[in-house]
Amino acid sequence: MTTIHEILGNLTLEGNQTASQQYALGTVRASSNFDAERDAAAIEAAIKTKGVDEVTIINILTNRSNDQRQDIAFAYQRRTKKDLPSALKGALSGHLEAVMLGLMKTRPQYDASELKASMKGLGTDEDSLVEIICSRTNQELSEINRVYKEMYKTELEKDIISDTSGDFRKLMVALAKGRRDDDSCFMDYEKIDQDARELYEAGVKRKGTDVAKWISIMTERSIPHLQKVFERYKSYSPYNMEESIRKEVKGDLENAFVNLVQCIQNKQLYFADRLYDSMKGKGTKDKILIRIMVSRSELDMLKIRSEFKKKYGKSLYYFIGQDTKGDYQRALLNLCGGDD
C-alpha cells in the first residue's frame, strides 16, 4: 500500500502537469475489471429492493471513474429504458441523492449545473460562483462554457452579467473567459518584477485602487508566473497580496480576489481550507462539502488530504466522520479514499 506521502513525493503540482500525473492525485480511479452491464444490473436490483439498497449503489458509483459511470448510465438506459439519474432521484433523497446525482454528471456538466444553481432565483450565491470560476483551468472553463450553452441555451457570460454588478462582475467575466497565458517552463523575471510593481502601484501605493489593472494581471497571466509575482510583490509592499486586497477592496470583490489569490498560490490548500470551513463549528455547509468531494475526487483529492492534515492536525477522513452520518457519510468517506 503506497502512502500518500510517497505518492506526493513522486509528483509535483507546480507548473505543467500531464493528465496522467493529475489523475494520479485522485482517490477515485477507474475500476480494473469493469463491466458496465453487471454494474447496471446491480444498481437496478438495488433500486428495486424494498427500502432501496443504498450501500450497493454507493459502493459502485464511488468506486468507478467518471467515464465508467457514463457507461453504466448508458447500459442502465438500454436495460431498463429508464434514465439512471432520474431513477436515482426517485430512489434516494437528501444529501446522499445530491452526491450520487453529482457523480452521474460529467465534470463540465456538474460545474455548469452548480454555476446555474448559484445564479438561479433571487440573489446570487456568490460564494459558489467564486469557488468554481476562480479554481478551474483554461481547458476546464472552455468545456464549462460549451456545456453550459448546451444545457441552458444561453451563454454563461450572459448569466454572470445579468446576475452580478460592478467590478465583481468584471472580475468574474474576465475569469470565466479562461484566457490565461499557458504555463511555460520559461520564467520572464523582468515581467514578474514589472507585474509585481504594477500591482503595488495600482493599489497600496496610491489613493483608491486601479481595479482594472489588478483584474488584467490576475486573470491573464499564467499560474506559475503569478506565484512568482506574489513573492516579488512583498519586496515592494509592506503587505502581502492577500493583506493588500483586504485593505483596498470590500464585499464580494474582496472575497473574490482573496479566493483567487489563494487558488493561485496553492489550489489544494485552498480546497482544504474550504472543506474545513464547511465543517467547523455548528452545522455543516453540505453544499460546499459535497461539491468539493465530488468535483476533486478524481483530480487532486490526495493532495487536498495532505494539505488538510498538515494544516489542521487531523485528517479530512476524521472530520467527515465526525460531521456526517449514515449512507451520506459512507459516500463521502469513499470519495475521500482513506484516512491519513
Side-chain angles (χ1 to χ4, degrees), residues 50-288:
K50 191 174 189 313
V52 183
D53 173 6
E54 283 96 348
V55 174
T56 294
I57 297 171
I58 292 166
N59 286 343
I60 292 173
L61 296 181
T62 58
N63 287 295
R64 304 292 182 271
S65 68
N66 195 293
D67 288 346
Q68 290 176 336
R69 292 192 288 266
Q70 305 313 316
D71 290 343
I72 294 169
F74 186 72
Y76 186 91
Q77 174 99 34
R78 212 172 37 210
R79 240 191 118 73
T80 64
K81 306 290 177 277
K82 289 189 191 116
D83 171 57
L84 180 52
S86 307
L88 291 170
K89 207 176 166 67
L92 307 171
S93 61
H95 299 317
L96 177 63
E97 178 194 333
V99 175
M100 294 299 118
L101 291 179
L103 290 171
M104 289 314 302
K105 294 183 168 93
T106 64
R107 288 222 315 282
Q109 282 170 349
Y110 185 60
D111 283 344
S113 64
E114 289 289 297
L115 285 168
K116 186 67 174 174
S118 77
M119 296 183 282
K120 245 192 358 216
L122 278 173
T124 308
D125 168 10
E126 287 85 5
D127 215 33
S128 298
L129 182 63
V130 165
E131 178 202 300
I132 298 169
I133 298 277
C134 286
S135 65
R136 300 317 189 242
T137 62
N138 280 358
Q139 197 184 348
E140 287 166 340
L141 286 162
S142 137
E143 280 293 288
I144 291 166
N145 277 293
R146 182 182 64 75
V147 169
Y148 194 95
K149 190 171 186 184
E150 265 172 30
M151 288 169 74
Y152 304 112
K153 309 292 173 260
T154 179
E155 304 281 351
L156 171 61
E157 185 174 313
K158 251 195 179 142
D159 277 352
I160 292 174
I161 287 169
S162 69
D163 245 69
T164 56
S165 60
D167 288 327
F168 175 64
R169 173 199 283 166
K170 287 178 189 156
L171 175 58
M172 289 296 103
V173 166
L175 283 169
K177 287 185 195 305
R179 297 220 177 121
R180 263 190 205 294
D181 296 338
D182 291 327
D183 298 356
S184 80
C185 307
F186 170 70
M187 280 290 167
D188 183 342
Y189 285 93
E190 265 180 48
K191 185 93 177 105
I192 287 166
D193 185 67
Q194 185 190 336
D195 282 345
R197 196 175 61 245
E198 287 187 2
L199 285 173
Y200 172 58
E201 286 169 355
V204 174
K205 193 180 177 189
R206 52 172 282 173
K207 201 172 161 53
T209 313
D210 179 355
V211 175
K213 172 60 76 181
W214 273 14
I215 290 175
S216 82
I217 292 174
M218 287 195 229
T219 64
E220 290 167 21
R221 306 292 188 266
S222 76
I223 300 296
H225 175 88
L226 285 168
Q227 289 170 342
K228 293 271 190 273
V229 169
F230 296 155
E231 275 302 305
R232 183 72 185 134
Y233 179 85
K234 290 185 252 183
S235 64
Y236 288 104
S237 168
Y239 314 106
N240 68 27
M241 198 66 231
E242 200 177 313
E243 292 162 345
S244 302
I245 291 163
R246 294 192 191 282
K247 288 189 176 304
E248 290 291 311
V249 292
K250 290 287 167 268
D252 290 335
L253 185 63
E254 174 191 356
N255 182 44
F257 268 130
V258 166
N259 275 259
L260 180 58
V261 168
Q262 289 172 346
C263 252
I264 289 166
Q265 287 175 324
N266 182 338
K267 191 185 287 188
Q268 289 73 33
L269 176 59
Y270 167 74
F271 283 122
D273 287 338
R274 295 270 300 161
L275 285 166
Y276 177 77
D277 289 341
S278 77
M279 294 183 280
K280 70 169 189 211
K282 258 191 160 30
T284 307
K285 296 177 186 148
D286 294 284
K287 195 164 58 169
I288 298 171

